[in-house]
């Protein structure tokens, strides 16, 4: 099969790539990488990180670079994700792609690790860090509440890659005490319900088999 | 003038945007924002962050979203920065754009703040954090050394937006003790010398008047 994904289906980064492929309705082969055994630190993964991605002779890593490639290369398949025919609309999506990567994920990914992953592993949560990350997340969600009062999705009127990139971490955080931060912001909450209800995400979760 | 940049020319994020405009040889108006007085926290900046960017009726924020828009919208002007005609080459540049934003900047930006900005302001450097960030930066530079042994620039044979995004923080870090981390890696060091010698960067520094 031309498209291959190497990764662990429990990692938010791999889920981001799988969700993008599902929205695009693209067939692919999934190659399971066992992070627990450090397999990703052995060749051929050592130099590429996981998730890794192949499309014919093209090899990519970094989940957000992979999804952007898919969105451009398969622009006309499945859900349109980047509005590539209108550079100004694409640029607005681009702003929220950066906000996700630089602001939301910076707080959300670490929070998910501290309050969801660590308890599962039996490791000790760093409560001071959790406090700090919650404050950071609150600031980001205040910006989102304002934005989502103006437009249904972050990038505009339609679901885009900017929304998609949030799904795995939002899904994790809603299983934790910080769910309240999302619930108490009505536009953020409506957006969460909307993006988590997408059939493509349900398809990814079925594959993950929690 | 159609293009306006709002920001502080001393901030790496504003410098990233100015460098991109210089590489593209695009005229623009610069609107100085005094970060020290908290002007960026007042309207009209409160909701948009600085640097902010206008191109006619389009308003953007987040430096990397701005440069990507410029690279796409002015693809045929000045230095080509994203290889937009070849999606696979563009995707490789995309990988290194993500590595910069997610790995290099995560270590480099905070280090620059701790060991360059704080001493200038008379604030106390957090030495434990510096140790940790130096270790992170070392890991990233090891990956870069391997990559730059294979290709002259991060994204391929030609200078691209992936290299450009590094310039302001590399420029700052080379004024500090971590310069050694760059110098002791020959391919990284050749790359630093190359990207800092670009006429467009010299033009930006002249405007900054350190």
């Amino acid at each position: 099969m031309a498209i291959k994904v190497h990764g662990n289906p429990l990692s938010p980064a791999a889920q981001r790539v799988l969700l993008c492929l599902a929205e695009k309705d693209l067939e692919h082969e999934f190659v399971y990488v066992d992070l627990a055994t450090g397999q990703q630190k052995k060749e051929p993964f050592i130099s590429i990180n996981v998730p890794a991605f192949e499309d014919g002779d093209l090899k990519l890593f970094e989940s957000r670079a992979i999804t952007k490639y898919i969105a451009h290369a398969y622009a006309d398949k499945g859900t349109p994700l980047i509005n590539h025919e209108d550079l100004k609309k694409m640029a607005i999506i681009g702003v929220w792609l950066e906000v996700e990567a630089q602001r939301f994920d910076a707080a959300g990914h670490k929070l998910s690790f501290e309050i969801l992953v660590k308890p599962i592993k039996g490791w000790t949560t760093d409560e001071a860090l959790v406090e700090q990350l919650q404050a950071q997340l609150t600031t980001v969600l205040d910006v989102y509440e304002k934005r989502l009062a103006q437009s249904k999705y972050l990038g505009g009127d339609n679901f885009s890659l900017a929304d998609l990139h949030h799904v795995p971490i939002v899904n994790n955080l809603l299983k934790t005490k910080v769910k309240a931060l999302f619930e108490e912001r009505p536009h953020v909450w409506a957006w969460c319900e909307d993006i988590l209800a997408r059939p493509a995400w349900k398809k990814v979760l079925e594959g993950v088999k929690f």
Side-chain angles (χ1 to χ4, degrees), chain A:
Chain A
M1 207 167 283
I3 297 181
K4 280 188 198 176
V5 180
H6 304 256
N8 186 308
L10 286 170
S11 92
Q15 289 177 355
R16 202 172 284 128
V17 172
L18 294 174
L19 176 55
C20 188
L21 290 168
E23 288 286 355
K24 287 294 185 186
D25 207 13
L26 290 167
E27 295 283 318
H28 61 274
E29 182 184 331
F30 189 80
V31 184
Y32 180 78
V33 180
D34 188 355
L35 302 177
T37 63
Q39 192 185 337
Q40 80 282 8
K41 291 182 182 156
K42 296 177 188 147
E43 292 290 355
F45 296 107
I46 193 161
S47 55
I48 53 171
N49 273 312
V50 286
F53 173 90
E54 294 176 58
D55 187 0
D57 61 350
L58 178 70
K59 289 178 172 48
L60 301 175
F61 64 99
E62 289 289 337
S63 65
R64 295 171 184 83
I66 296 167
T67 59
K68 284 172 192 168
Y69 165 74
I70 295 168
H72 278 280
Y74 299 95
D76 300 327
K77 278 217 72 174
T79 311
L81 293 173
I82 41 155
N83 237 316
H84 70 292
E85 283 166 357
D86 182 330
L87 286 182
K88 292 194 171 185
K89 285 187 179 168
M90 188 169 96
I92 300 291
I93 294 170
V95 167
W96 296 97
L97 283 168
E98 294 299 326
V99 173
E100 185 277 329
Q102 300 291 318
R103 324 275 168 188
F104 178 84
D105 193 69
H109 195 168
K110 282 185 204 149
L111 254 180
S112 167
F113 183 74
E114 287 294 332
I115 61 182
L116 185 69
V117 178
K118 277 187 164 181
I120 292 171
K121 300 265 188 191
W123 301 338
T124 309
T125 297
D126 179 341
E127 295 296 346
L129 181 59
V130 169
E131 280 297 307
Q132 188 193 318
L133 294 170
Q134 268 191 268
Q136 260 178 261
L137 182 64
T138 299
T139 305
V140 176
L141 292 183
D142 281 341
V143 172
Y144 282 20
E145 181 62 15
K146 213 168 160 182
R147 170 67 181 165
L148 293 167
Q150 293 163 349
S151 69
K152 189 172 177 195
Y153 296 97
L154 289 174
D157 295 336
N158 301 305
F159 180 81
S160 79
L161 200 58
D163 308 297
L164 186 152
H165 281 183
H166 289 80
V167 172
I169 292 292
V170 168
N171 185 67
N172 279 358
L173 292 179
L174 295 192
K175 295 173 187 162
T176 72
K177 63 175 180 177
V178 300
K179 181 181 182 182
L181 296 179
F182 293 86
E183 270 181 323
E184 65 201 25
R185 291 173 174 79
H187 294 95
V188 167
W189 186 243
W191 170 77
C192 289
E193 291 195 304
D194 185 290
I195 63 176
L196 290 179
R198 294 189 68 82
W201 179 237
K202 293 191 169 160
K203 205 174 140 190
V204 172
L205 289 183
E206 278 162 27
V208 172
K209 292 189 193 73
F210 275 107

